[in-house]
Amino acid sequence: MSKLKIAIQKSGRLYEESLQLLKDCGIFVNNGKDQLKVSVDNFPMEIMYLRNSDIPQYLEDGVVDVAIVGENLLIEKGKNIRTIQKLGFSKCRVSLAVPKEVETDEISYFQGKKIATSYPDTLKKFLEKEGISSDIHVISGSVEIAPNIGLADGICDIVSSGSTLFKNGLRETVTLLKSEAVLAQTPQLSNEKEAILEKFVFRIKAVLKAKNSKYILMNVPNEKIQKVANVLPVLKSPTVIPLAEEGWSSIHSVIDEERFWEVIDELKDSGAQDILIIPIDKMVI
């Protein structure tokens, strides 16, 4: 039987979260990042630990079938690779930053200036679109120190919390693009591997849906059941269970994490009491 070859970053910010996603999907990896290739016993998959910068080329060449990789890297490399699913972790931005004493946030600051970056293609396209001519210095690591040592007037790099910029006396000004980890696919897959990938993506979606949802239970007077039900963004309809106390029922449903407090306020205003919130492990829809 064929095995789906998946590449993940061998070290760095994507490594731990990629392995956790596999674990949440019921795919358990016994070996670690010291090995280049690891087989999985309970799913038709092989894991390849690769350098982050090499993953797009391996995907394009068909050496690996799928990969967990940052959107920003795929955009920078400009490869003919299909993104299957956004994964919701390792969110960041590719942004321009300047020394904190620079007062302007305008892109015009970079006209004729030197910019250090690990994302030259992304930066070049952005500057051309904005009509800005700058001197781009390509640096493979520690881009943040470039202004401090006089190598550049600003930088273009990935930003998560912004703490690294702050520590190096820099501040973020212009965002070129937003990024997160994605599941990406090689251009060609056999029918057998497509079937395996479909099962894998099904598991991922169940995990992501659960992480973005909460199971909710509440007690509601019977005369207010319909009013409360109208507030709930349910899958089909809420579960209503009569309580031992006459005139009361328990309502069970699912709400989205992003609207959590908004929905809770509306439920209280509609008559819900004793509201309990429970995390969801998986959601199979």
Side-chain angles (χ1 to χ4, degrees), residues 213-265:
S213 303
K214 299 294 183 190
Y215 192 80
I216 184 169
L217 305 86
M218 69 207 82
N219 295 331
V220 180
N222 288 345
E223 68 270 15
K224 294 185 178 180
I225 288 177
Q226 189 57 54
K227 187 176 181 181
V228 168
N230 291 338
V231 173
L232 293 167
V234 295
L235 301 176
K236 286 188 174 65
S237 63
T239 300
V240 180
I241 303 173
L243 295 180
E245 183 176 344
E246 188 174 348
W248 285 79
S249 294
S250 176
I251 294 183
H252 299 205
S253 188
V254 174
I255 62 175
D256 292 333
E257 179 71 40
E258 62 182 22
R259 291 195 62 226
F260 178 81
W261 289 112
E262 177 185 346
V263 173
I264 292 298
D265 289 340

Side-chain angles (χ1 to χ4, degrees), residues 71-82:
E71 283 179 291
N72 56 297
L73 186 61
L74 295 180
I75 293 171
E76 171 64 23
K77 298 295 184 180
K79 299 299 182 181
N80 178 30
I81 298 166
R82 177 188 167 205

Side-chain angles (χ1 to χ4, degrees), residues 2 40 55 72 85 125-126 141 144 169 191-192 224 234 284:
S2 295
V40 176
I55 290 177
N72 56 297
Q85 177 70 48
K125 291 176 184 177
F126 178 80
E144 308 84 15
N191 290 337
E192 190 173 9
K224 294 185 178 180
V234 295
V284 180

Side-chain angles (χ1 to χ4, degrees), residues 71-73 75-76 92-96 119 122-123 126 157-159 172 174-180:
E71 283 179 291
N72 56 297
L73 186 61
I75 293 171
E76 171 64 23
C92 64
R93 305 173 297 281
V94 176
S95 295
L96 288 163
Y119 296 88
T122 301
L123 176 59
F126 178 80
D157 201 13
I158 57 172
V159 179
E172 186 178 3
V174 180
T175 297
L176 282 64
L177 60 91
K178 293 182 179 180
S179 174
E180 64 183 271

Side-chain angles (χ1 to χ4, degrees), residues 13-25:
R13 63 192 184 94
L14 280 176
Y15 171 73
E16 293 291 345
E17 289 175 298
S18 298
L19 287 184
Q20 184 60 52
L21 176 63
L22 293 178
K23 182 178 179 180
D24 291 340
C25 289

Side-chain angles (χ1 to χ4, degrees), residues 97-99 102 109-110 112-116 146-147 150-155 170:
V98 298
V102 175
Y109 164 80
F110 291 97
K113 298 290 199 306
K114 298 177 182 178
I115 308 175
L151 182 62
D153 302 295
I155 69 167
L170 302 174

Side-chain angles (χ1 to χ4, degrees), residues 119 164 169 189 195 210-211 234 260 270:
Y119 296 88
T164 302
L189 275 185
K211 287 183 178 180
V234 295
F260 178 81
S270 299

